[in-house]
Amino acid sequence: MRSFSKCVIIKNRAKKSNVIFILTPKGKIYMENTAPEKRQKILSCIQPSGIPTLGNYLGALKNWKTLSDDFDSAFAVADLHAITVRQDPAKFRKQITEVFALLLAIGLDPEKSIIFIQSHVPAHSQLAWILNCYTQFGEMSRMTQFKDKSKAHADNVNVGLFAYPVLMAADILLYQADLVPVGVDQKQHLEIARDIANRFNTVYSPTFTIPDAYIGKQGAKIMSLQDPTKKMSKSDPNPKSYVSVFDTPEVITKKIKSAITDCEGSVYYGEGKDGINNLMSIYSCCTGLDFDQIAKDFEGKGYGDFKAAVAEAVVEELRPVRERYDSYMKDTGYLLEVAAKGAEKASRIANRTLNKVMKKVGFVLPK
Ligand code: TYM
């Protein structure tokens, strides 16, 4: 062990290595150049099943952008997942393009991150089939989202809905993701992906990286504005319950001002104050202020003032996203080009994992 008075580590992002400066007690400076560090990988996806909400944005998309600076990253529009409920073909096509444009509008850079449409990379469906055969019926039956969705779509409880978490496991495992940034509602799906990966690795030999969920400290579960005990969801029949990322400033303000709160009238985070807690989480995500600071800033002020501040913060948070989105949507040809390049890069990685899996299982690979 070497003794030193001071140690400074400077990251060389370009070379993915660290330069370490060490000041010894005798005042000498040593410099060490460490081997390139292995960048960790992240992957996440969003379904194009409607216009994404403020919940999707604060719980997932905003973190994707932040994390994409420090990780090798891949992000996809999960169109295969979306057909587990019936989609109108023309509307569906439009939504896929819109959500793809949104991924660019939140600031993801296609030169730094792989941004693609799930169905453009056939390895997702192929690995999902194989993993279906390493997943138990009982495990899938316990998934809470399956139970909820089967109730909501009782006339169409299809096998795809049942096997949905296996496709999600395939999405993650194909890219050997270390971290998966998601909202709290996806935690159970992440756990099953880990179980499937561990099982496959045990039956054969280490094949898949075991992924961890990355759940942000704030905003991991943004609640409905009309029933703050329920998650904010784009499939909620009451549009006043959610803010969509493309709502106009006027609509955002109106929806936030009509959010359900309580009759106490003071702004602090506490039990039984679900509506205010939710607005505080939203405000905190948009401003970076913690709950104590927010409570201090609004001491002696009523909910009217607080709601107006939350509305303004949300409008300003979404304004640049919306502006960039509008400009991307003017050139759908460019979006398709970016998607094609993304799919090519994604396929290279995904096929490498798929081939490895197929060899281990004993398939004869084509020449
Ligand atoms: P989806 O499309 O429902 O939602 C996309 C992301 O948004 C998060 N989210 C929320 N976060 C906070 N508060 C909310 N109210 C809220 N609503 C949604 C979700 O947790 C998610 O991170 N199955 C996934 C899509 C998927 C996926 C994957 C995700 C497919 N393959 C692989 C990660 C890795 C889904 O339906 O997300």
Side-chain angles (χ1 to χ4, degrees):
M1 189 134 113
R2 187 169 16 187
S3 67
F4 57 84
S5 314
K6 198 169 178 194
C7 171
V8 177
I9 302 175
I10 297 179
K11 279 184 186 273
N12 182 338
R13 281 186 199 263
K15 290 190 179 155
K16 297 179 185 172
S17 65
N18 290 330
V19 181
I20 306 180
F21 293 92
I22 299 169
L23 178 68
T24 69
K26 288 184 183 161
K28 273 190 173 175
I29 294 179
Y30 287 103
M31 193 185 88
E32 281 185 9
N33 211 340
T34 62
E37 56 182 277
K38 197 171 159 274
R39 292 243 295 182
Q40 285 206 308
K41 300 187 184 75
I42 56 170
L43 168 125
S44 202
C45 307
I46 178 166
Q47 288 194 68
S49 51
I51 298 176
T53 67
L54 184 64
N56 295 121
Y57 178 76
L58 297 178
L61 301 178
K62 194 171 152 86
N63 292 333
W64 296 7
K65 161 70 186 129
T66 311
L67 293 169
S68 69
D69 290 333
D70 291 318
F71 291 84
D72 283 342
S73 53
F75 302 106
V77 177
D79 53 349
L80 293 171
H81 278 91
I83 62 161
T84 51
V85 299
R86 287 278 175 271
Q87 301 288 345
D88 170 76
K91 246 168 98 183
F92 186 42
R93 213 169 282 129
K94 189 164 161 270
Q95 281 166 198
I96 294 170
T97 314
E98 286 170 349
V99 174
F100 192 82
L102 176 64
L103 297 192
L104 300 185
I106 60 167
L108 293 178
D109 175 355
E111 297 300 324
K112 276 191 353 205
S113 303
I114 302 175
I115 310 170
F116 66 104
I117 296 173
Q118 183 190 29
S119 66
H120 292 185
V121 182
H124 288 248
S125 313
Q126 291 169 282
L127 182 63
W129 173 255
I130 296 175
L131 295 183
N132 274 332
C133 305
Y134 295 80
T135 307
Q136 299 304 302
F137 193 88
E139 287 176 306
M140 291 296 98
S141 316
R142 284 192 289 275
M143 295 288 110
T144 47
Q145 207 163 82
F146 169 67
K147 290 188 210 162
D148 293 346
K149 285 205 173 170
S150 345
K151 267 193 219 140
H153 303 275
D155 56 336
N156 182 23
V157 184
N158 59 73
V159 176
L161 193 63
F162 187 69
Y164 178 113
V166 184
L167 177 57
M168 190 165 150
D171 298 339
I172 298 165
L173 301 180
L174 277 174
Y175 299 89
Q176 307 288 1
D178 299 283
L179 278 183
V180 183
V182 283
V184 161
D185 62 329
Q186 297 300 318
K187 203 165 159 233
Q188 196 183 32
H189 290 162
L190 246 294
E191 279 158 14
I192 203 77
R194 288 168 61 89
D195 291 346
I196 296 171
N198 270 318
R199 186 170 305 142
F200 194 94
N201 287 355
T202 308
V203 173
Y204 300 97
S205 54
T207 310
F208 296 123
T209 300
I210 308 300
D212 277 309
Y214 174 95
I215 295 179
K217 243 170 92 190
Q218 288 296 350
K221 193 169 185 187
I222 299 295
M223 311 305 274
S224 154
L225 299 175
Q226 291 301 312
D227 176 0
T229 59
K230 257 176 44 189
K231 185 186 83 162
M232 181 183 282
S233 163
K234 54 194 166 218
S235 54
D236 197 309
N238 179 1
K240 276 168 77 185
S241 71
Y242 57 82
V243 167
S244 127
V245 288
F246 304 139
D247 278 343
T248 60
E250 295 71 35
V251 171
I252 294 175
T253 306
K254 219 167 149 192
K255 286 182 178 176
I256 290 184
K257 286 197 170 164
S258 65
I260 300 292
T261 49
D262 52 78
C263 46
E264 194 189 338
S266 42
V267 178
Y268 66 93
Y269 197 94
E271 214 174 299
K273 291 176 71 72
D274 297 328
I276 285 296
N277 294 347
N278 189 36
L279 292 178
M280 285 180 81
S281 298
I282 293 173
Y283 192 62
S284 169
C285 286
C286 296
T287 60
L289 298 173
D290 64 26
F291 291 158
D292 287 345
Q293 187 61 49
I294 298 172
K296 237 185 239 162
D297 291 351
F298 287 90
E299 214 175 321
K301 295 185 186 159
Y303 289 166
D305 287 343
F306 180 52
K307 284 179 172 179
V310 176
E312 197 188 326
V314 172
V315 166
E316 290 316 316
E317 177 74 35
L318 294 179
R319 189 189 300 282
V321 175
R322 193 188 164 112
E323 283 170 3
R324 284 193 293 257
Y325 169 81
D326 286 342
S327 100
Y328 282 122
M329 283 305 284
K330 285 191 188 124
D331 191 354
T332 48
Y334 169 74
L335 293 175
L336 290 177
E337 256 172 52
V338 175
K341 281 193 193 137
E344 202 183 305
K345 288 189 217 163
S347 295
R348 234 174 282 137
I349 302 173
N351 288 338
R352 210 179 303 140
T353 306
L354 181 65
N355 279 348
K356 213 162 138 187
V357 167
M358 292 184 76
K359 267 194 212 152
K360 292 200 184 189
V361 174
F363 286 105
V364 175
L365 298 186
K367 261 251 168 236

